[in-house]
Structure formats: C-alpha cells, structure tokens
Amino acid sequence: MNILVINAGSSSIKYQLIDMKTELPLSSGIVERIGLEKGLIKHKTFINGSEEKTVEEFPIPDHGVGLKRVAELLMDKKVGVINDPSEIKAVGHRLVHGAETFTETVEITNEVKAKVKELFPLAPLHNPANLIGVEVAEKVFPNAKQVGVFDTAFHQSIPEKAFRYALPEKFYSELRIRKYGFHGTSHKFISEKAIEYLGNPDAKIVTIHLGNGASMAAVKGGVCVDTTMGMGPLSGLIMGTRSGDIDPAIIFYLAQQKGYSVQEISDLLNKESGMKGLTGLTDMRDVEKRQSEGDSVAILALEMYAYRVKQYIGSYAAAMNGVDAIVFTAGIGENDTSVRQMVCEDMDYLGITWNEEKDKNRKDGVHEINVDGAKVKVLIIPTNEELEIAKQSLSLIE
C-alpha cells in the first residue's frame, strides 16, 4: 500500500510517497516559492537502490498547481513510481496545532476541517497552510482517504499539573491557554524506537529534538509527561531564530519603556533571537566554525545552548524520578558531535556519559554513544516524521 505524506507550508509543499510494505520512500521532494514569479520543484525517485533527481523551475501560482505537477511526476513514464493516482490509498497530512480538540490521528472530514479553522488563532503561520494542503490533495487525489496527524497530539497525555499555567482559572476554562507542545510526531517516533532498543516498555526517556526549531520531551512508559514548548513553539530551548525561555518582564519593559509594538516584540522573539540574536548566524555549523577560531561570542552562544538542554534533562529526570536514556535527534541532534559532547559533559551525577570514539564511528539506526556500562543510555536516533505520519495514517484506515 502506498501512502503520500504532505507537509504544506505557506509557500511550500514537502512530500514523500512511502511503500508501507517496506516502509521505504518511493519518491520525495519539495515544491518551493509558491506564489512567486518563479516556482521550484525538487523531486527525487528511489528505484532499485538508485536515486534520480528532477528539478523544474516554472511559475507556481498556488498550491493546486504545485501538487498537480507532483502527481504528474509520480506517474511520469521516466521518473514515475505509480501508474494511476488510485494507487495512493491515503494522504497523511502534518497538521501543526490540534489543541485539546484533536488528541489522536483522524480521517479528515468537513467537520474536522471546520474545527481546524477554529484553531487558526493558535497557529496562524501553520494551520491555514496545512489546511490548504488538505483541500488541494482532496482534488488531486479524490479516491484517497485524507488523514490528519497533529504535532500536538502526542503531548495531550501531559498531566494538568504540568500543562497548566499559574493564571486565573478563566484563562484556561474560557480561552484554553495551556501548554500544548510541538514536534510530537518526532518525539513519538524516536521514543518508541528507544523503548524497542532498550527492551523496556516502562523506560523513562528524555527525547531531544534539535533542529532550527528545537524541543524536548519527558516520556515515561511511552507516554509524554512534559515538553519544553508551550502554547506556541517559542518557549523552551534556544533555537535558530527563537529565544526560548525568557523572563516575561522583558516584554513589558520593551513595550512600556522602549515603545515596541506587540508585532515588533513577536518578530524579535520569533525571528531575530536565538542563535541569530546571539551571533548573527542561524546555521550551527557556522557558529561552530567561529567557535573553533576562538570567537568569544560564538563560544558563549554554544555554552548557553547546551546549558539550556542540560537544565531540562535535570528537570525531566526529577519529573520522572529517574532517566533510563536520553535521545538526540533531528538535524543538529543527529549530526553535531560538539553539541552532544557539551550537553553530556559534567552530567555523571545523573549517570550520563559520552564516548568520543563511539560518537565518531556512527552506524545506521539507533546508535549508542555512552561509555560502556553507563547507568543511562545516550542514543542517537534519526527521526522520520514522514514515516510516522504514514504509519499512523495506515493504522487509521485499516
């Protein structure tokens, strides 16, 4: 059975067609610059272990034109992998914010779409684009079931003592202001892989998703009990352009004393802070290059970055009354040896260690980088959000 996974953004569509018999991609790609003068499609086909790339540049005025061309490429005589759209049994959509309305994967109906629209204020940059992807896919693949997988769903098991903020009751009961958390699909995927590797269904795991956006989760026995992001994706760790945790008094100071508008503060904290604010750079590789050259600004930024991760490891070890494994994933988590080393240093009190030789000699799949005999396993597990969305979609339609 083939399942197409779609992650629609405001000006892009990421996609992957997965053969669920093998759980391997048949094709993947991205449609970029939708609505601009020149659109771009980067398409990959995987056949018999080889990879064929197709790049096309042409006007893509809307998501419909882009996805229609993707369907044509999937059926193309040269680079196609299917003969007819009916071979795609389901389209799994990444939907960012499900609030308390959606706690699990759902088949997308008109009622579901209406409720997703109601949640637009909670994720104004993501949910509207996600819904456009759904509506376009309904037209391009009319015979496929449309399935919604929500970033927030995995975190809906967080207990009230952890998801509530210390605000007057009405702000929760009337406005549903609370912690929701994000990157749930990734945290679910890697925590399940870690539990399988450990052979312990009751394992206490700290999952560490480090990319341009970054978050952590405390997962006890396969159930999420806390996470670093909150009502929106701004809180928690230091990120590429987002500040992570700050004192709310800073907002009042900027507004009242310096005349910043609400939008200016939002742009500052979401787009101009984090590593960009500290160093002027958003790519961790560039920051580390400067660090290696002795740049004091880069050195401090990386120390702050690692310190925040260490803080949350300690917090979650306390929340779960122990930790059996910590897991690094996503772009930085999977590929940055220096960050992993900085996070694991001076954590021996908790039983967390780091072995340089193991870290340098990576292998595919789950990779262990702690010293032999360590109390806590330190793992690198590549995330695969597309496969997790496809698996959840398959489970639903079956």
Side-chain angles (χ1 to χ4, degrees), residues 124-264:
L125 298 179
H126 296 93
N127 272 22
N130 297 160
L131 188 57
I132 288 173
V134 171
E135 292 173 336
V136 168
E138 288 174 330
K139 296 175 182 177
V140 178
F141 304 102
N143 297 318
K145 288 187 181 295
Q146 306 295 324
V147 179
V149 180
F150 294 86
D151 261 18
T152 49
F154 182 61
H155 303 304
Q156 290 305 297
S157 55
I158 295 174
E160 191 168 1
K161 65 182 180 183
F163 76 63
R164 283 285 297 274
Y165 296 118
L167 297 171
E169 166 68 23
K170 67 178 181 179
F171 287 93
Y172 173 61
S173 60
E174 297 176 15
L175 302 179
R176 313 317 286 177
I177 291 176
R178 51 157 288 180
K179 175 184 287 191
Y180 289 106
F182 299 88
H183 296 139
T185 307
S186 177
H187 289 294
K188 183 177 189 295
F189 180 84
I190 62 171
S191 62
E192 288 176 350
K193 289 288 185 184
I195 287 171
E196 181 183 342
Y197 177 80
L198 296 170
N200 177 9
D202 299 318
K204 301 168 182 176
I205 300 168
V206 178
T207 52
I208 308 169
H209 178 109
L210 302 179
N212 190 50
S215 66
M216 293 169 60
V219 183
K220 188 175 183 180
V223 176
C224 183
V225 296
D226 207 350
T227 190
T228 54
M229 285 181 170
M231 184 170 172
L234 180 59
S235 61
L237 305 179
I238 294 171
M239 300 174 236
T241 64
R242 297 178 211 153
S243 65
D245 291 339
I246 64 165
D247 181 350
I250 295 169
I251 296 172
F252 310 143
Y253 174 77
L254 291 174
Q256 296 169 354
Q257 303 299 322
K258 298 300 177 182
Y260 278 66
S261 68
V262 171
Q263 187 59 53
E264 286 173 332

Side-chain angles (χ1 to χ4, degrees), residues 67-360:
L67 195 58
K68 184 179 179 182
R69 181 56 188 151
V70 169
E72 291 170 350
L73 286 168
L74 292 174
M75 295 181 289
D76 186 83
K77 289 182 179 180
K78 182 181 178 183
V79 299
V81 291
I82 60 174
N83 296 313
D84 189 88
S86 63
E87 293 179 42
I88 296 174
K89 300 303 180 184
V91 180
H93 297 268
R94 181 201 180 202
L95 300 174
V96 168
H97 213 312
E100 293 179 323
T101 306
F102 300 104
T103 60
E104 57 189 14
T105 298
V106 297
E107 182 176 348
I108 299 174
T109 62
N110 288 333
E111 182 183 6
V112 167
K113 288 190 290 183
K115 288 181 178 178
V116 169
K117 283 184 179 179
E118 291 175 9
L119 300 176
F120 278 7
L122 292 177
L125 298 179
H126 296 93
N127 272 22
N130 297 160
L131 188 57
I132 288 173
V134 171
E135 292 173 336
V136 168
E138 288 174 330
K139 296 175 182 177
V140 178
F141 304 102
N143 297 318
K145 288 187 181 295
Q146 306 295 324
V147 179
V149 180
F150 294 86
D151 261 18
T152 49
F154 182 61
H155 303 304
Q156 290 305 297
S157 55
I158 295 174
E160 191 168 1
K161 65 182 180 183
F163 76 63
R164 283 285 297 274
Y165 296 118
L167 297 171
E169 166 68 23
K170 67 178 181 179
F171 287 93
Y172 173 61
S173 60
E174 297 176 15
L175 302 179
R176 313 317 286 177
I177 291 176
R178 51 157 288 180
K179 175 184 287 191
Y180 289 106
F182 299 88
H183 296 139
T185 307
S186 177
H187 289 294
K188 183 177 189 295
F189 180 84
I190 62 171
S191 62
E192 288 176 350
K193 289 288 185 184
I195 287 171
E196 181 183 342
Y197 177 80
L198 296 170
N200 177 9
D202 299 318
K204 301 168 182 176
I205 300 168
V206 178
T207 52
I208 308 169
H209 178 109
L210 302 179
N212 190 50
S215 66
M216 293 169 60
V219 183
K220 188 175 183 180
V223 176
C224 183
V225 296
D226 207 350
T227 190
T228 54
M229 285 181 170
M231 184 170 172
L234 180 59
S235 61
L237 305 179
I238 294 171
M239 300 174 236
T241 64
R242 297 178 211 153
S243 65
D245 291 339
I246 64 165
D247 181 350
I250 295 169
I251 296 172
F252 310 143
Y253 174 77
L254 291 174
Q256 296 169 354
Q257 303 299 322
K258 298 300 177 182
Y260 278 66
S261 68
V262 171
Q263 187 59 53
E264 286 173 332
I265 294 172
S266 175
D267 289 344
L268 170 69
L269 298 181
N270 280 291
K271 300 177 182 179
E272 302 296 332
S273 296
M275 298 305 283
K276 182 180 181 181
L278 291 169
T279 67
L281 304 168
T282 58
D283 192 311
M284 193 65 83
R285 291 166 293 191
D286 295 332
V287 177
E288 289 178 359
K289 183 176 183 295
R290 286 202 187 169
Q291 177 203 35
S292 68
E293 296 167 351
D295 186 297
S296 60
V297 171
I299 291 170
L300 175 61
L302 286 165
E303 287 176 344
M304 292 172 64
Y305 185 92
Y307 181 72
R308 186 71 56 82
V309 176
K310 290 159 78 91
Q311 280 184 302
Y312 274 108
I313 291 173
S315 172
Y316 290 165
M320 295 188 292
N321 190 27
V323 59
D324 297 306
I326 66 170
V327 184
F328 291 96
T329 196
I332 296 169
E334 294 171 30
N335 300 300
D336 198 316
T337 298
S338 177
V339 165
R340 291 191 294 267
Q341 178 183 3
M342 293 179 72
V343 168
C344 294
E345 280 179 339
D346 301 322
M347 296 283 276
D348 47 293
Y349 179 79
L350 288 177
I352 295 171
T353 58
W354 178 79
N355 183 287
E356 182 176 6
E357 194 66 27
K358 286 185 178 180
D359 199 311
K360 287 182 177 178

